[in-house]
Each structure stands twice: as structure tokens, then as C-alpha cells.
Amino acid sequence: MCGIVGAVASRDITPVLLDGLRRLEYRGYDSAGLAVVNQDDEIDARRAVGRVAALEEIVNGVNGHLGIAHTRWATHGRPAEHNAHPQLSSTDVAVVHNGIIENHQELREQQLAAGYTFTSETDTEVIVHQIDSHMKAGADLLSAVQKTVDELKGAYGLGVISRHAPNTLVAARRGSPLLIGLGEAENFVASDMSALIPVARKYMVLEDGDIACVKQDSVQIFDQNHKPIERKVLVSTLSDAETELEGYAHFMKKEIHEQTRAITETLEGRLGANTVLEIPLGKNAKEIFDATKEIKIVACGTSYNAACVARYWFEEFGVRCDVEIASEYRYRKHVVNPGTLFVTISQSGETLDTMAALDMAKGLGYTNTLCVCNAPESSLVRASDLTIFTHAGREIGVASTKAFTTQLVTLMLLALCLRRRALGLDYDGDEVEHEIVQELRSLPNQIEHALSLEDEIIAMSKHFADKHHSLFLGRGMHFPIAVEGALKLKEISYIHAEAYAAGELKHGPLALVDKDMPVVAVAPNDELLEKLKSNLEEVRARGGQLFVFADAHSGIVSDNDTMVLNVAPVNNHIAPIIYTIPLQLLSYHVALIKGTDIDKPRNLAKSVTVE
Ligand code: G6P
């Protein structure tokens, strides 16, 4: 999703801007651009559709000490050079913008009446004209931005420069993350600290309504009432180590294979001999768990699928659990029972809908808020009473893999902590907890085994590459795993993939089954196996082609219409984590055959910071 980088320094900042944009590529975007104030105090701007590499080809000779840059993910106006950012008002002011301005139409009409002309279909162009109009009326750059944001409705993270203020970068935020990186006699602005890894360790996070006036040797921040305010200086722990492919063809493949190590990290220091330890989950964890009677989980995308799996665990353990998509949750009324813990799940910690849902939940009487997150320096973490980090390490591939399985592991730890309270057990848990803890310890080995099935999965993937539709089936806690498998396939191979609870097959999707629609099924050896087998017979009877990920003892065997991939027997509680791996590999290898842009699938973004 859109990314912002800005810099003011004594050196030429074009390379810094380009490097920052490259580091933000993982968020997903469709065009890129930059603008600097050059030595003649003129704005020099370049924009290109497609990758940052395309922008690099056209920035020869663009030099300056002050500049802004952007990767755009289209919302208003198609991906095109004239819609890319920076947006300019004549040659005077340039703006980069993340977010959506809701009253852009009204402002556009006023500006047209005042004689401004428009060169884009973006909502952003009204911002730059508005700033320009205030400057033309005598305001300096900072006060022009202050006046402008007071007139905007909607969400924004802004970087603004003007040729009339050749030493000043103004940044403003409401509803869209923005931070200030502090260098040595040079300062930066970015929507995500990963853009600034080589140039700044220290940073300040802007809060909603803040406007910053950033110069080479000073940063002044003003709050929403335009009063000067201090923001805490933090030190970033991000490093470059995880942004290298290390010999893999794609980050997605690397991240699938990293799951053994990632899950080891998730568990590190959190397990006692037989139990889950609570103190390492956070200093207020015990107090928050003690106050929890039931939970509400809100999330988006893959994180939502993780929540759907965890609901089975929570409810089996006696903890009432409700799960909802964030974009739906935030637009309806709620009844909140006393003792309800509000849980968000997010790999990025920046998903706008999830953040907005949390903001809304805070006024609704939830007892506490907890976030399951992979990004230590993120908005959701800052806004939650407690965060349990997933410790997956940086995930670059847009299609989430290790972030998902580590979310599942983290949610299991949480479920076991709440189980003790629900069942009135003491700190030593009970046999069930002891058994699950041992299974969790064995996860890295079991994942290694699942990864070793890759060659068989490559053979299977060949049957999908020429297909346009597919169906994924699962039952119980493997229904959301089927949903996640279908999501992966559609995200990166662009094959339409739909997931169904296998028991629902006969209520509709069976009508679609024929030899051209592969049917994937997840078949662990649990209490629903026999039911699932009957559902698979329904598919076979209609000439469907089955691809079954089955427990080695399931009794499901390959034949002309059925290709079975045997998964080593695994404890039922952690089976969803293991069965995820072959589904990830399947989608990866289908996409590889199809030659799609696996790490940056079309139209998608890693971090979705608009509604
Ligand atoms: C985007 C990403 C998905 C992710 C979803 C929710 O769509 O491409 O991989 O699952 O956002 O993101 P979050 O960061 O909140 O988990």
C-alpha cells in the first residue's frame, strides 16, 4: 500500500529517497514518484507507472537537499503517471499523500472556481492546491499546511515541500501512520521505519493531528490544536538481515521455509516444562487474563483466518469467543458483555480497518485490549493494553505465510492461558495443556517434515496451472485452513479459489464440480474424518478431481480421480498449523508455473492503510 519517504540533508537526497522507496516496495504499489527542491530552488519531479526501477531510469540529474517520494496504490484514479505522487500545484508546491480525502469533491469545486486546473483524478490534488492557495494568501509553508488540514475530512499522512521554503519539509498525519527519522544533521519522514534503516535509528512517531516542521538540524512538532508538543524519541531495532533473498527465488518461498525457525522464535522463553509461562507474555498479561471471561477477535485477511482457527481452540477450552472481520465490525452496533477482552490480530500492526475497529472498541466497554502482532513499532501495538508478539521476523512476500503460522502458535499460547481460568485449573495446567505444550515443542520438527513434501507438491501443482477455478474443502478447525489455502492460491496464481465447509458442499458448490474444477481437501485424522470422507465421495461420484492432504493413517488412497499427499500423523490441536504448510507450497508452485509476480501479486498490498 502507499508509502512515503522524505528527507532534508546537506547531501543529495535522491539516492536516499530511491532506497527508501525500494524498501517500501513490499507493501505493494502500482506507481512511484519523487520531487526535490533543486539548487535553483525549483521543484524537480518525476513519476512512473510500475516498479521503483522504472522511476530510477528517469531520475538522472534530479538532485537536491530536500525532497519527498511515494509509492502509490491506486484508490482515486487508475494507476497512471498523472495520478502518481507527488502531486504538484503549478511549480510551487508538491505533496505526497497516503489515505483518502473524503471531501475532495467539494474542495475541487471551490478550487476550480478559484481558477485552479486539475491534472489528475486523485483526491490528493486538492490538498496541494489548498496549500498553494494559503501560501498565495501570505501563509508560510507550515501555517499553510496547518490551515489546509483543518479543512480536510478523511485520512492522511502527508509530506509537503515548496520552492518557497527550500529548507523545510512539512509532515502531517491523521489516520495514516507517519514518523520522523532523526539522523546526524539530517532528518527524514517515512510512513514505515523500514524505509529508513540505513539512515536513521532514532525516530519519533507522529500522533493523529500532529504536524511536523522538519529541517536539517531541527524538528518541531505541533499537535492538532497547532500547539508545540514533544514526542518521545524511540530507537528502532529493525535491521536489513531479513530483506535478503539468501538464494531463494522468492521471498514467499524463503518465508515458507523459514517457518521452522520462526515458530521456534515464537515459542522461545514462553514454555515451561509442561505449561505456557505467562510472565514472558507481558508484564500485565496475568492481570489481563484474570479479568477475561470471554473474547472478541477482530482482524482482516489472513489474520482473520487465524482468528477463525483459534475460535475452535478457545471454545473447546471453555472460553466464549466471537470473531469478526474488522471492516464489518466497525460499522455496526455492539453488545459487549462484561469481562470481554478485545483482541486484534495483525501481521503489520497498521491495517486501517483493524486500527479503526480498535479505536471504536475502546469506547464500548471492553475490559482490556490485546493485540497479536508481528511489528513491534506499529500503531496497533501502541494502542493496545497488551501485545503478544508473534516474532515471525520480517515478512516481505505479500501473501502471508510465516506470519500466519506464528499467529496460530501465539493464539494457542493465549488459549491455554485462558483455559486455566475457564476451567479453574492452577498454574500447572492439566494433562491436556501438558500434552499440547509437548506438541508445540515438536512443531519445528513436524514443520520440517511437512516441508519435505515439496517434491510431491510440485507434481501436484502441475494439475492446477491450466485451471480457472478450484474448490477447497475442510471441516472443523480445518475449514478456516481450507479458506486460507484458497486465499493463498487466488492471491498469487489468480486462479479463482473458493473454500467451503465440506458439509455445505451439497447445498450449492456441488453443482460446479466437474473435471475442470480441482477440489482440494484437508483431511487430518480427527473426529470429523469419516464425515469428510463421505463428502469426498460426493465429489468423486460427480467426476470431480480430488487433491487430498491426508493423514497417513486416514485410509484415503490415490486412484485415477484422487491424488493423495500423506501428511505424518499429528496431534489434533496443532494439526491446523501443519496442514497449512503443504497448502502454502501448493499455491507457490502453481504460481511459479503460471509465472506470476509471486512476491508482489497484482492489485494487492502487504500493509493496507486505506479503508
Ligand atoms: C493485506 C495483506 C494480507 C493480510 C491482510 C491483513 O491484505 O496482503 O496478507 O492478511 O492485509 O493485514 P494484517 O497486517 O492486519 O495482518
Side-chain angles (χ1 to χ4, degrees):
M1 194 121 301
C2 304
I4 289 177
V5 195
V8 51
S10 55
R11 56 176 160 155
D12 172 25
I13 43 76
T14 302
V16 175
L17 297 177
L18 284 170
D19 182 68
L21 291 185
R22 264 184 248 113
R23 290 167 185 279
L24 293 178
E25 283 193 293
Y26 78 96
R27 295 163 68 108
Y29 67 103
D30 42 53
S31 49
L34 62 76
V36 302
V37 176
N38 67 17
Q39 59 185 10
D40 303 323
D41 288 350
E42 284 169 351
I43 292 181
D44 198 353
R46 305 290 153 93
R47 302 179 297 200
V49 175
R51 298 282 169 237
V52 173
L55 178 66
E56 276 177 75
E57 283 174 19
I58 55 166
V59 294
N60 259 345
V62 178
N63 304 312
H65 303 297
L66 168 70
I68 49 178
H70 193 257
T71 47
R72 175 175 187 254
W73 188 80
T75 55
H76 290 65
R78 69 194 160 85
E81 198 254 317
H82 67 278
N83 286 332
H85 301 201
Q87 287 288 315
L88 274 73
S89 192
S90 68
T91 54
D92 287 342
V93 186
V95 160
V96 288
H97 167 222
N98 287 356
I100 292 176
I101 301 305
E102 287 163 7
N103 59 335
H104 69 101
Q105 199 53 42
E106 186 188 319
L107 289 168
R108 187 180 263 252
E109 277 155 27
Q110 290 166 12
Q111 293 169 357
L112 282 168
Y116 281 97
T117 51
F118 283 79
T119 58
S120 78
E121 293 108 53
T122 66
D123 52 336
T124 302
E125 199 172 352
V126 298
I127 306 175
V128 70
H129 290 327
Q130 202 68 5
I131 295 170
D132 183 69
S133 70
H134 288 304
M135 289 187 82
K136 293 232 158 67
D140 63 12
L141 179 61
L142 174 65
S143 32
V145 175
Q146 286 175 327
K147 286 178 198 293
T148 298
V149 296
D150 287 346
E151 294 156 337
L152 299 178
K153 294 201 179 98
Y156 56 81
L158 295 177
V160 190
I161 57 172
S162 163
R163 73 185 177 96
H164 302 298
N167 303 311
T168 307
L169 169 56
V170 175
R173 115 161 231 191
R174 172 163 290 128
S176 197
L178 207 58
L179 42 88
I180 312 292
L182 306 169
E184 296 293 324
E186 51 186 22
N187 290 309
F188 308 92
V189 168
S191 49
D192 173 335
M193 200 49 202
S194 62
L196 303 181
I197 289 175
V199 289
R201 304 306 294 163
K202 290 190 191 156
Y203 69 104
M204 293 186 286
V205 178
L206 294 186
E207 294 193 4
D208 266 350
D210 282 358
I211 300 180
C213 182
V214 184
K215 301 190 177 194
Q216 256 181 52
D217 44 15
S218 70
V219 176
Q220 282 177 290
I221 302 179
F222 302 87
D223 68 11
Q224 56 187 342
N225 302 314
H226 308 325
K227 299 267 175 302
I229 187 138
E230 299 283 321
R231 296 290 176 215
K232 226 166 55 194
V233 175
L234 307 167
V235 179
S236 172
T237 53
L238 296 178
S239 82
D240 266 344
E242 282 157 332
T243 56
E244 305 293 330
L245 275 167
E246 291 172 348
Y248 286 95
H250 296 96
F251 282 106
M252 184 180 180
K253 173 124 187 226
K254 179 183 171 214
E255 286 154 6
I256 290 173
H257 282 265
E258 272 174 356
Q259 288 175 105
T260 317
R261 195 185 75 207
I263 286 176
T264 308
E265 300 270 321
T266 311
L267 294 171
E268 180 72 35
R270 290 169 168 179
L271 298 181
N274 286 310
T275 55
V276 176
L277 304 175
E278 296 188 356
I279 292 168
L281 298 182
K283 59 178 187 304
N284 53 348
K286 179 178 180 309
E287 184 195 323
I288 287 178
F289 298 163
D290 283 347
T292 300
K293 301 275 173 284
E294 59 183 78
I295 67 172
K296 169 86 189 183
I297 313 182
V298 168
C300 303
T302 287
S303 298
Y304 170 78
N305 291 341
C308 292
V309 175
R311 177 172 46 194
Y312 287 87
W313 294 332
F314 285 112
E315 298 230 330
E316 182 187 330
F317 295 168
V319 183
R320 212 184 93 69
C321 173
D322 188 28
V323 175
E324 192 164 348
I325 292 166
S327 54
E328 288 298 316
Y329 175 86
R330 55 185 290 211
Y331 292 113
R332 70 175 186 87
K333 300 274 182 276
H334 301 276
V335 178
V336 179
N337 288 334
T340 305
L341 175 66
F342 187 83
V343 178
T344 54
I345 307 176
S346 174
Q347 48 89 21
S348 65
E350 300 292 355
T351 302
L352 188 133
D353 280 320
T354 310
M355 189 64 213
L358 173 59
D359 276 347
M360 178 177 147
K362 284 185 171 174
L364 293 179
Y366 287 97
T367 310
N368 286 297
T369 59
L370 183 155
C371 177
V372 171
C373 192
N374 194 37
E377 289 153 30
S378 62
S379 305
L380 273 169
V381 170
R382 287 192 289 272
S384 302
D385 296 323
L386 169 65
T387 299
I388 308 184
F389 289 104
T390 51
H391 296 313
R394 182 107 179 267
E395 192 177 69
I396 308 271
V398 165
S400 197
T401 53
K402 63 177 181 171
F404 176 69
T405 47
T406 54
Q407 283 170 349
L408 290 179
V409 173
T410 308
L411 288 163
M412 177 54 99
L413 298 179
L414 175 63
L416 288 170
C417 292
L418 296 182
R419 179 175 194 275
R420 292 178 194 148
R421 274 104 180 148
L423 303 184
L425 306 169
D426 64 22
Y427 235 102
D428 282 338
D430 63 353
E431 270 177 30
V432 173
E433 178 167 352
H434 299 176
E435 187 192 328
I436 295 174
V437 165
Q438 298 318 326
E439 291 297 328
L440 288 172
R441 276 190 214 293
S442 73
L443 263 178
N445 280 341
Q446 302 198 48
I447 287 178
E448 273 303 304
H449 184 269
L451 288 168
S452 73
L453 301 171
E454 189 159 5
D455 285 345
E456 287 174 68
I457 294 169
I458 290 171
M460 192 184 264
S461 63
K462 295 180 180 135
H463 297 270
F464 288 72
D466 63 340
K467 299 292 188 294
H468 300 290
H469 305 278
S470 61
L471 194 58
F472 283 65
L473 302 176
R475 294 196 74 132
M477 61 180 91
H478 289 86
F479 166 48
I481 294 299
V483 175
E484 174 60 13
L487 177 63
K488 287 292 88 94
L489 189 70
K490 77 175 78 129
E491 277 179 314
I492 60 167
S493 75
Y494 316 148
I495 294 174
H496 169 221
E498 207 174 343
Y500 257 86
E504 274 290 291
L505 193 59
K506 53 192 168 295
H507 299 297
L510 208 48
L512 299 171
V513 168
D514 64 15
K515 63 176 178 18
D516 291 324
M517 175 134 122
V519 179
V520 179
V522 186
N525 196 358
D526 60 14
E527 69 285 359
L528 291 167
L529 178 62
E530 291 311 315
K531 303 268 178 222
L532 180 74
K533 282 182 178 172
S534 309
N535 301 137
L536 301 187
E537 285 309 318
E538 293 162 8
V539 174
R540 284 156 63 89
R542 274 113 192 138
Q545 296 288 310
L546 279 167
F547 298 87
V548 190
F549 296 93
D551 182 281
H553 299 151
S554 68
I556 306 174
V557 290
S558 294
D559 62 22
N560 284 346
D561 305 318
T562 307
M563 191 165 184
V564 176
L565 192 135
N566 282 320
V567 178
V570 53
N571 172 288
N572 284 344
H573 286 107
I574 62 159
I577 302 166
I578 299 300
Y579 278 82
T580 299
I581 312 285
L583 292 172
Q584 293 170 344
L585 286 169
L586 178 67
S587 59
Y588 174 79
H589 285 289
V590 174
L592 195 63
I593 297 171
K594 294 197 71 177
T596 58
D597 191 350
I598 293 182
D599 285 335
K600 299 187 197 82
R602 68 185 183 201
N603 307 339
L604 299 182
K606 182 79 189 156
S607 180
V608 179
T609 47
V610 295
E611 235 190 293

